[in-house]
Amino acid sequence: MKKVLFILIAMIAIPVSSQQYDYKVVTSVESIIPSGLGRSRLISSNEDRDYKQFTSTRSDDKKKDKRNKSDRSEIRVKNFDETKLLNFFNLGGIRFQNIAANDAVITSKINDMVANGWELAFVNSGVESYGGKGDNSGIFITRFIFKRLKQ
């Protein structure tokens, strides 16, 4: 009986451990430029790219090295969704209503992705800003990484 139970558990566990997922990245870019001069967007690609087509392998042997000659136009994605977001700042300074509005739009996108079978797996964010004297640039970027079982 113990052997039969062990075999049944093993048969159930094997397919679970070999699950494969599709992943999708949605990126929010929110401007942190004073006076509201920047552009803020939620970006989601509708095309796939195979990274291997744009990758070279380097080694100590320069004769074996083959530089990847991909043209930028081959990498560029022209088919994507671009959702307008509001900038963090306006002429009066930081605009909390804009942040709340962006949160509502991003939440709507996440809820739509979940309703279409995607699961939010990871979130990664960062800020890019020079920060020196007279700094007039900066973005707050967040990558939402979704996954779902391969179909």
Side-chain angles (χ1 to χ4, degrees):
M1 179 67 179
K2 288 182 181 179
K3 287 183 182 179
V4 171
L5 185 60
F6 176 76
I7 292 171
L8 286 173
I9 291 172
M11 290 173 61
I12 292 170
I14 290 172
V16 171
S17 65
S18 66
Q19 292 179 337
Q20 294 185 357
Y21 294 93
D22 286 319
Y23 290 88
K24 182 159 182 71
V25 177
V26 175
T27 301
S28 70
V29 179
E30 296 172 278
S31 171
I32 54 175
I33 298 174
S35 303
L37 297 174
R39 295 187 317 160
S40 299
R41 300 288 187 269
L42 188 61
I43 305 296
S44 177
S45 174
N46 294 325
E47 296 180 25
D48 293 327
R49 290 288 183 271
D50 182 357
Y51 79 95
K52 294 173 190 170
Q53 294 178 340
F54 315 113
T55 303
S56 4
T57 302
R58 301 299 188 125
S59 69
D60 290 338
D61 187 354
K62 298 298 178 195
K63 293 179 183 178
K64 289 184 180 179
D65 280 357
K66 291 197 166 76
R67 192 174 145 251
N68 188 293
K69 305 263 184 179
S70 299
D71 190 300
R72 290 177 189 261
S73 65
E74 296 170 0
I75 301 170
R76 191 166 286 118
V77 170
K78 294 183 180 180
N79 186 12
F80 62 96
D81 293 334
E82 179 180 304
T83 304
K84 188 169 187 172
L85 297 174
L86 301 174
N87 296 330
F88 281 174
F89 292 96
N90 66 8
L91 289 174
I94 193 164
R95 183 79 171 164
F96 295 108
Q97 288 175 331
N98 290 4
I99 295 170
N102 289 356
D103 289 351
V105 172
I106 292 169
T107 299
S108 173
K109 177 68 173 183
I110 292 170
N111 287 336
D112 184 61
M113 295 287 295
V114 169
N116 285 298
W118 294 95
E119 174 187 346
L120 182 60
F122 308 100
V123 178
N124 189 4
S125 64
V127 176
E128 170 57 37
S129 180
Y130 169 68
K133 185 177 180 178
D135 179 19
N136 288 330
S137 63
I139 58 170
F140 184 77
I141 187 168
T142 306
R143 288 221 159 95
F144 302 90
I145 302 169
F146 294 87
K147 71 177 184 178
R148 70 176 172 193
L149 287 173
K150 281 194 180 270
Q151 298 176 355

